[in-house]
Every structure is written in structure tokens, then in C-alpha cells.
Amino acid sequence: MASNTMAGLVAGSHARNEMHVLHGEQRPPTRQSVAKLCRVCGDEIGVREDGELFVACHECGFPVCKPCYEYERSEGNQSCPQCNTRYKRHKGCARVTGDDEGSLDGDDFHDEFQIKNTRDQQNVFAPSENGDYNPQQWHPNGPAFSAAGSVAGKDFEGEKDMYNNDEWKDRVEKWKTRQEKKGLVSKDGGNDPGDDDEFLLAEARQPLWRKVPIPSSKISPYRIVIILRLVILAFFFRFRILTPAYDAFPLWLISVICEIWFAFSWILDQFPKWQPTNRETYLERLSMRFEREGEPNRLSPVDVFVSTVDPLKEPPIITANTVLSILALDYSVEKVSCYVSDDGASMLLFDSLAETAEFARRWVPFCKKHTIEPRAPEFYFSQKIDYLKDKVDPSFVKERRAMKREYEEFKVRINALVAKAQKKPEEGWTMQDGTPWPGNNTRDHPGMIQVYLGSEGALDVEGKELPRLVYVSREKRPGYQHHKKAGAMNALVRVSAVLTNAPFMLNLDCDHYINNSKAVREAMCFLMDPQLGKKLCYVQFPQRFDGIDRHDRYANRNVVFFDINMKGLDGIQGPVYVGTGCVFNRQALYGYDPPVSEKRPKMTCDCWPSWCSCCCGGSRKSKSKKKVHRGFLGGLYSKKKKMMGKNYSRKGSAPVFDLEEIEEGLEGYDELEKSSLMSQKNFEKRFGQSPVFITSTLMEDGGLPEGTNSTALIKEAIHVISCGYEEKTEWGKEIGWIYGSVTEDILTGFKMHCRGWKSVYCVPKRAAFKGSAPINLSDRLHQVLRWALGSVEIFLSRHCPLWYGYGGKLKWLERLAYINTIVYPFTSIPLLAYCTIPAVCLLTGKFIIPTLTNFASIWFMALFLSIIVTGVLELRWSGVSIQDWWRNEQFWVIGGVSAHLFAVFQGLLKVLFGVDTNFTVTSKAADDAEFGELYLFKWTTLLIPPTTLIILNMVGVVAGVSDAINNGYASWGPLFGKLFFAFWVIVHLYPFLKGLMGRQNRTPTIVVLWSILLASIFSLVWVRIDPFLPKQTGPVLKQCGVEC
């Protein structure tokens, strides 16, 4: 059926040619205009008085605008950022210290006496690449400074309207004070009329973000203790290995092996946290730079992806709240598009989105008028706060009451849809016009697309445009591998590229709503940075959760990982991708390499003999060529290029060209190189057979090709979500979300980091996103089981960080972090053994450690002390509470002896033998209203190992104490060491025991039976029939009978 973007649902199968689409005339893509941009601030480079392009450095021609050139001469190093050659004075520029006398023209003599020039010469900061203020340092391997936004004060005449007079004077005075402290403004010359404009100019040229260094008083002791702990570990293992316990040699050997593995695991976890980083953003500067008064909005467009599978398990009202929070973003509406992936082809979700789109016409203008947070109505109306705080509009209370009533009516309509969907008709679902729902067979249905709202859709109640909302359900047919969530995300990447093609993409789970309406702006402070932005593959936000009990019994918030580990990775090459709350650079997902920084060529001297130059410089030159060779399109066709003997580099600031130019040849390359440029056939092998999509991949700044119409784009979108589109392409291998693991997020981020991309961790003061997490024990263990299983799959694949990506651009500490993410499930085996050893020692009277001397006991005490101090100092610099840290330690043991253990064996069975084992969960109703799910018990086999460990150690404690009482005072000394380890196990498993018993202290019989059975069998193996009687060493004496 033919349809335009707003006519209704478009469904079709490209392979079966089931969709009839009007063939509009398509004009060929046109060459995009190329503007010469400053490589420092990102503004256009102006022209000189004679009309020629301004060139700052005549040695290398590095593109720098005049304001950046003059600032570098007056306040910086007076040198070119690329070749390090001293800048020569240009006509009309003020003289600075170090200029040659002969270079001063007579006509420009008055420039020597200029005090300031508010148009061209401004006192601004000189930030380095990471955003830090560092005006005097020169880094020979990188840009000297990174400022953005060279504009005149007249561009900000409207900015004063944002503040009242007192606030504006306040800001200007604070700015003057800062400038005076730095010696950039004199105290007696600060009352000129141009000061306000000068302030705006200087403010706009500041970096959009900066690193906030952790005080050395906090981080230095932390690093010292880490080194001391390493030294102590070395001496500890020396003692443990050289003094075996011969009376319990097997136990001693097992314990030493476990301890060595724990030390290895600690190193993998600890050293990536060596240089933790905090960052802060400046949203006002972002607005001043890209949203100037009287000019078009220059913020980059964003496509937002929401993925869902089963609306009966993922309630539609939760998905609707997530979509509403996206549509109400504090961002230009024409630059936001929301794509909802329905991988279950559910008519329930389709109808729910139609209702959501209608409700959004009222909800979005209400949010923006009153600047409310969060902009998900369910969570906004359920807040237990004073919602009148800071509200001054008299109509707010009335409008809020009306909006709350409308939302409740909206919920009722959604509930009615859910109730209707509980029972599917025999003939299948039918749409409102009487046609059968195309997705009645969820495993065999065509691709479906429905576009709501947007520029051609309904306006809000105030007559303003709303962001585009698109429903997408990819085609599914029997016999095709669909790759679950990763396949659905790749389908969204292609659909969005055809319909909107925003350069950046935000992906969210259906239960993660936007809690901070400025979250996308926070990400843009990094992604639109003129220096760092081109090298970023994504900006990751931490996950925060609602609905978790106050004590966080099962460490659902995962605070230690998000506030310690991720900040540590941010100081290396960037945080790992965690599956949601992440803003991607589209070019990075396409498998391209990051732009190669242009470095200053190596200085050579003609006085050295030629043979010396070959020996000393040959290796570096060869290495440089190799690096450039991988630059163009990520080394995609390196084999072909090697055969042609050519080297290619993709320049960071170069424009992106249309598909026709690929076959004709690109500008900027020699004639000899044009013969080996990639053809359309090569692109099709990589990206698939869609000319529209291929063209979009070459448009680095996003946007659609000229001459396209909505009908043709919808037809092409149906094509790119067909089930056979990815066959014989690199989707899921080198492009998009990577296949091969249930934790596709780790693989996807790992591949990008291997190519040399960087990522950034953004932690705004107000949490960017919030979601829901399973808070009962069984569901939490199954969630951890899934994550651990994905890590095991990666460990057994070709993408394992232990052997993949060497020779690339992955930093060593980053590799250690990725190795830790895939080997941590295997810690479950030594952990299970180590938790069993205390019970065995108590039941047998043996111990893994021989009698300690005073000197040997020092190492034990030092080790325990270093562990405690490391934890305390880690909490000190991170700000994590001790309760969160302790819950994390407890769940590390609980998950390690249950979910991680099962994941190892399930992963081995799945990868090596093709056996896919599933652990089913059956629920039992809960009676509690608040946090009722916390006490909900669901039987699962994951509960057996920890329960068995608890019983074993409790039996061991009873046996050990009874034996000591029976044998007298001398046996109490060795007992304390055994009891310490047993209590260590019990204390760590205490939350598990509490969850097992529940509030009503009821436990299913099957758990008790299995656990008691295993514990009894294990105990009988080691315990003699009379374990508490005195041991006889002489001959056995029997009492004489009557006939003696």
C-alpha cells in the first residue's frame, strides 16, 4: 500500500515486493558547500582587507582565524599550533614582545599604543584539549590551545535579555574580578561602555567543559597505598608459598591458588582506577555559541532510540512516559526525532504510541512553559516534594491540576488497551479501519513504520511543532537470524539514517526516562567541542534508579561501579558502554576510524650522513605511514590499498561527499590516488544495498540528500529493515551494534576503543536518566546471570580482549579494564572453593595456615590493614557512602557463588557444545504494598549454592565451638582463625539469607530439602561418627564382661 509519512502505517517486505510505492523523481545529490573553518575555535576564517583568505602561518598554512591568531600572539606561545613556527606580525596587528623591529610598518605605528580592541584582540583563556586553563604550557604533540566561538560582541546584544539588570551587573562584576586576578584587565579601566560586549565575547570563547582535578591530598595517598598493597602482597605470597600446611596440604594448595587468583582479579580492577577524572560542563556557553540571537540554531540534531520487545512484560505506560520525556526535551524540536523499536510487533504498543502522541500535544507545551522536572508525567506527579517551589506564574496551579486529570484519563485509556490485549482473538488483531494487523504472527511479519507528529504531523495545543515520533517494527521471517536487541538497534540506525540522519544518537531502554531535560545539551558540550568532539565515539551517562529500597539490599544501584570504576576509566580512554543512557557519534558506529591529528613533522638536519638518516628515521617514517594507511574509512579496504601501493588519511575537518563523488574522485587527493577510491559496489558489501543509506553514511554532519521526498524515503526505510538486508554485509561484525553476545554493549564499545576512539563520562548534578531495576532476590540474580553469561561468551569469542586488537590504538589500562569485564565470572570458582574451606577446616580440625610467628603475623595484619585503607581512601575521593560500598562487597560474594558460577557453566555449554540452558522463574505473590516486590520470592536453581554455603558454615561453627569446649583451653587459640573466615562468609551472605527468609520468614520446602541434603552429604564425608569425643592414641580397651 502506498503511503506518505503521515498517511498511516507503512508495512512491506522488500524481498517479496509487497509494498507499492509511488516512484518520485530523485535528483542526484549535490556537492556540499565547503567553508574554511578555524581548527582552533571552529568559526569561519575571515578575509583580509584585500579580500584574500587570512593565513596565520605562512610555513604550514594551518587554518587559524584572526582572533585566535592575535590571542596566541598576545597571551599564548606566539607560535603556530602545528609547525611550532613563531607567528610573524601581520599588517594591522598590534606589536608584541619579540617582534622584529624591521617588521613594523610606518602606517601601523599607532598600533603599538593600542590598549584594547573589543573586536579583534580579546583577553580570553587558552584551554588545552581537555578543557583545562593552561595558557603557558606548550604540548609539541598536540594543539597549543582549544578555544571555540570567535564572535563579535554585537552577536550577543540579545543575551542581556536573559537576565535582569542586577543579575547582569553581578555576572559582569564577577567576570571582571576573575580577569583582574589573572592580570588580564586593569582595575582602573573597567568602566568602558564596551565591557558588557567584551564579557560576552570572552564568555563565548571559553571551553564548553573542563576537567575537575581530584585534590592531590585525596588521590596521592590512595595511589601510595595501592603501591604498598602490591609490595605487601608480594611478601604475603612469599610466606604462603614457602610455609605450606603439611597436615592439610590439599586445603592449603587450594587456598593459595584461590588467593593468587583474587590478587590477579584485584589488579585488573584496581589499576584502571589509577587516574579518576571528574568533568563539568557549561551549558550557558553552549547556548551562547550555537544559539545566537538572530541566527539559525546551530546545535546538532539528535535521533533518540527506544527499544522494547514485549509490552506485557514491559508495561506500555512506562514506555509512554519514556517517549513523553523525550518529546519534551529542552532542545530545538526540529532537531529531535524519537524512534521506538517494537521487536515484538505488538498492536498494543502501536495503539499506545498513538495515544501517547495525542497526549504529547498537551504535555509538551505544559512542560516547556513551566520548566518542570522530570518531564515524565508518572514520575513528576508522584514526587513527594513542594511542587510550588520557585513557581511564580499564577496559572501554574490551575494548569497543573488540569494536566494531572488529563494524565489520569490517559492512563485509563492505556490500561484499557492492556486489558484488551490480554486475550488475543482467534482470527488475530484488526486495526481500526478493519484491516488485519500485519504483526499477528510475531515470528513472520513484514516491516512496519508509522510516523507521528513532526513537521508534517499534528501541532501541539499552542500551534507549535513537536518532535518527530516514529514507530518501527523490523521484518521477521523464519530461517533468519535476528540477533535480538543488537539487531533491533542496527535496524533503528539504518531507519533513522534514511529518514532524519542526525549525526548523534541517544539510545535508551524503554524503562529509562529522561530525568534531566538538558541531558542532550550536556552531551553536546563534549560532542560539539571543536577539538575533542571529532575524536569521541560516545558520551556515557551513569544509570540511576527509582523504586529501590532505602538500604539497597542487593546493590541494585551499583554505585561503586558507576561512581568509582567508570570515573577511573574516564581518565584513560573513556568509560565502557553500558547499554543505555549513551549518546553516540554516528560515524563511530559506522566503523570509521577517528580523524588523525596532524602532527608537526619531525625535524631533520642535513648535516647528518644519509646512512644515519636511514637508520634513525626510517622506522618512524614507516610507522607513520602505517598509521595514515588505516585512517580512511577505518582501514576498510586496506588489502586493496596495499595492492595499489597508496596511503589514505581521512582528515578530521574535511567535508563529507556524496556517493557520486566516490566514483568520480574526491577533492584533496592526487590524480594517481583517484583510481583506487572505493566504488559503490565496495560500499554495498559493507553497508548493504541501499544507495540512500550509503549516501547518508558519507554525510558527517548529518542531514538528508537534496531532492528526496517522504514517500521515497519511507520505501527505502522499509527496505533497510528487511530481514535479509544484513546478509553478506559487515553489520554486526564491524558496523553498528556487534553480534555474538547477549551483552552487545561491551562488544560495541570495545570495538570502537580498539579503533582509537575516545569516550567521555558525563555526570551532571541532576541525574540525566532514571530507570527501574529488579529489587527482589531472584530477579536480581537472573539479571546478573545474563550479564555474566555475556562476558563468558565474549571470553570464548574472537573478540576477547586477551588476544583481540593488539597493534591497534587501545590503551593498556583500558585493555585491563575490558579484560576484567570478561574474566570476572570465572572468579566464582575460586570464590566458591574459598567460601567452603572455613567449614571444612572447622569440621576436620585442620587449617590452611600453619602456626604463625610474630614476624609472619605482621604480613597478615599489614594485608588486612591495606585492604581497609584502600577502601576508605577510595570512598574519600569518590564520595561513595560506606553503606553502598559494603552492599557492593556483599553482593560480589552473593552473585559470585550463584549467578556467576552458573554463567560460567552455561556459557561453556552454549559456546563449546551448542547447549542453550535456561533457568525458569516461577513467582509467588507478595502481600506488601510498599517495596512488596522486595519480599517476593521466586524459586530458581541459582539459590541452591549460596544456601548450601550458609548451612555448611553454620554447621562448621557449631562443630568447631563444640570441639573446643570438649578439648579444653588449648584448642581455643587455633579456633579463632577458623571462626573468623567462617563468619566472613556468613556476614557477606547475610542479605541473601534475609531475602531467602522474606518478611514472613517463610522458605519453600524445596530449597530447604536441597540445601540440607547437599550439606549433610558434604559433612558426612569429612566428619567422623564421634567428632566431639576425646581422641585415643593407645590400644583400644574394652570393658570386661561377666565371664572375664
Side-chain angles (χ1 to χ4, degrees), residues 360 776 814 845 1028:
N776 71 75
E814 192 81 9
F1028 307 130

Side-chain angles (χ1 to χ4, degrees), residues 833-907:
Y834 210 71
C835 289
T836 308
I837 287 176
V840 175
C841 292
L842 287 167
L843 292 171
T844 60
K846 309 293 185 182
F847 198 39
I848 56 175
I849 301 174
T851 304
L852 293 177
T853 63
N854 292 335
F855 181 75
S857 62
I858 293 177
W859 299 118
F860 280 85
M861 295 300 295
L863 180 61
F864 286 117
L865 189 62
S866 67
I867 293 173
I868 294 172
V869 173
T870 304
V872 170
L873 293 177
E874 200 165 71
L875 300 182
R876 187 165 171 256
W877 67 255
S878 65
V880 175
S881 69
I882 191 169
Q883 181 182 3
D884 289 324
W885 177 83
W886 175 237
R887 291 301 187 204
N888 182 78
E889 292 294 310
Q890 286 180 313
F891 197 79
W892 176 73
V893 177
I894 295 172
V897 298
S898 56
H900 298 172
L901 182 68
F902 278 77
V904 170
F905 292 107
Q906 185 178 353

Side-chain angles (χ1 to χ4, degrees), residues 244-255 847:
Y246 292 105
D247 58 337
F249 191 81
L251 294 177
W252 168 84
L253 183 61
I254 293 173
S255 66
F847 198 39

Side-chain angles (χ1 to χ4, degrees), residues 951-970:
I951 294 176
L952 270 177
N953 280 277
M954 286 183 173
V955 171
V957 169
V958 173
V961 173
S962 302
D963 187 55
I965 293 174
N966 191 40
N967 290 338
Y969 177 80

Side-chain angles (χ1 to χ4, degrees), residues 1021-1043:
V1021 172
W1022 296 93
V1023 180
R1024 292 171 294 181
I1025 302 301
D1026 51 353
F1028 307 130
L1029 296 178
K1031 313 297 187 296
Q1032 295 184 356
T1033 56
V1036 179
L1037 301 177
K1038 293 184 179 180
Q1039 187 175 1
C1040 296
V1042 178
E1043 300 177 355

Side-chain angles (χ1 to χ4, degrees), residues 981-995:
F981 286 109
F983 279 118
W984 181 89
V985 175
I986 295 172
V987 168
H988 278 77
L989 293 176
Y990 176 72
F992 171 83
L993 180 62
K994 198 172 181 180

Side-chain angles (χ1 to χ4, degrees), residues 519-580:
V520 174
R521 291 177 177 268
E522 296 275 356
M524 290 302 135
C525 287
F526 300 103
L527 293 169
M528 297 189 71
D529 182 271
Q531 290 292 327
L532 180 66
K534 296 294 183 182
K535 302 174 184 178
L536 289 183
C537 53
Y538 57 81
V539 176
Q540 178 67 60
F541 291 85
Q543 292 184 22
R544 306 300 186 202
F545 301 99
D546 285 321
I548 296 177
D549 62 296
R550 183 167 56 91
H551 300 291
D552 193 14
R553 181 184 295 176
Y554 307 120
N556 284 281
R557 293 191 179 93
N558 220 350
V559 176
V560 171
F561 174 75
F562 286 113
D563 289 356
I564 296 181
N565 294 70
M566 294 288 271
K567 288 182 179 180
L569 291 175
D570 197 22
I572 309 172
Q573 197 172 344
V576 298
Y577 168 44
V578 296
T580 184

Side-chain angles (χ1 to χ4, degrees), residues 242-550:
L242 296 180
T243 55
Y246 292 105
D247 58 337
F249 191 81
L251 294 177
W252 168 84
L253 183 61
I254 293 173
S255 66
V256 170
I257 294 173
C258 293
E259 288 162 2
I260 292 175
W261 178 267
F262 294 152
F264 170 71
S265 178
W266 172 76
I267 290 173
L268 291 180
D269 180 69
Q270 188 66 65
F271 276 90
K273 297 183 287 189
W274 183 261
Q275 192 175 359
T277 298
N278 292 318
R279 302 176 192 265
E280 68 177 22
T281 55
Y282 302 98
L283 300 182
E284 291 180 359
R285 296 174 184 174
L286 180 78
S287 180
M288 294 169 67
R289 186 174 300 175
F290 297 107
E291 296 177 298
R292 302 173 186 170
E293 288 289 332
E295 296 184 11
N297 189 310
R298 295 191 295 127
L299 288 175
S300 293
V302 179
D303 291 336
V304 186
F305 300 159
V306 179
S307 58
T308 181
V309 179
D310 187 353
L312 295 179
K313 294 182 179 179
E314 300 164 330
I317 191 64
I318 298 299
T319 304
N321 272 270
T322 300
V323 171
L324 289 170
S325 69
I326 295 169
L327 298 179
L329 270 172
D330 182 10
Y331 212 73
S332 182
V333 292
E334 70 274 6
K335 295 179 180 291
V336 177
S337 300
C338 177
Y339 293 82
V340 181
S341 170
D342 179 15
D343 224 27
S346 170
M347 187 173 170
L348 171 58
L349 181 62
F350 178 79
D351 290 339
S352 298
L353 280 184
E355 291 285 353
T356 304
E358 179 62 27
F359 179 71
R361 297 179 60 241
R362 296 169 177 82
W363 173 251
V364 172
F366 170 76
C367 293
K368 295 189 175 182
K369 178 180 179 181
H370 300 291
T371 60
I372 66 168
E373 296 285 358
R375 298 188 177 181
E378 180 71 23
F379 302 96
Y380 170 69
F381 290 121
S382 63
Q383 289 183 115
K384 297 179 181 179
I385 61 172
D386 180 13
Y387 63 86
L388 296 178
K389 186 179 181 181
D390 300 328
K391 301 300 181 185
V392 295
D393 190 344
S395 64
F396 171 68
V397 175
K398 181 179 179 180
E399 292 182 10
R400 184 183 185 276
R401 288 173 181 168
M403 184 56 59
K404 186 174 183 180
R405 184 176 63 252
E406 290 194 22
Y407 175 65
E408 289 171 349
E409 294 173 356
F410 167 71
K411 285 180 68 176
V412 171
R413 293 194 296 270
I414 296 296
N415 292 339
L417 293 174
V418 174
K420 180 183 176 182
Q422 296 297 324
K423 187 176 181 181
K424 184 178 180 180
E426 293 182 1
E427 65 276 9
W429 301 108
T430 55
M431 303 176 70
Q432 291 182 356
D433 59 356
T435 57
W437 172 247
N440 276 321
N441 187 344
T442 57
R443 298 184 179 181
D444 187 1
H445 64 83
M448 295 178 282
I449 295 177
Q450 168 73 59
V451 181
Y452 304 94
L453 307 178
S455 58
E456 299 178 13
L459 303 176
D460 65 22
V461 292
E462 296 180 356
K464 297 179 181 178
E465 184 181 334
L466 290 168
R468 179 179 297 193
L469 174 62
V470 185
Y471 168 87
V472 179
S473 182
R474 57 182 174 144
E475 181 184 16
K476 287 190 176 181
R477 302 295 180 190
Y480 287 90
Q481 180 63 259
H482 301 294
H483 301 290
K484 300 181 179 178
K485 180 183 175 180
M489 296 305 297
N490 284 336
L492 287 182
V493 171
R494 296 192 294 270
V495 167
S496 62
V498 171
L499 297 182
T500 50
N501 196 33
F504 304 113
M505 302 172 292
L506 164 63
N507 94 284
L508 295 171
D509 288 342
C510 64
D511 61 342
H512 274 71
Y513 66 92
I514 297 179
N515 184 63
N516 182 350
S517 61
K518 299 183 183 295
V520 174
R521 291 177 177 268
E522 296 275 356
M524 290 302 135
C525 287
F526 300 103
L527 293 169
M528 297 189 71
D529 182 271
Q531 290 292 327
L532 180 66
K534 296 294 183 182
K535 302 174 184 178
L536 289 183
C537 53
Y538 57 81
V539 176
Q540 178 67 60
F541 291 85
Q543 292 184 22
R544 306 300 186 202
F545 301 99
D546 285 321
I548 296 177
D549 62 296
R550 183 167 56 91

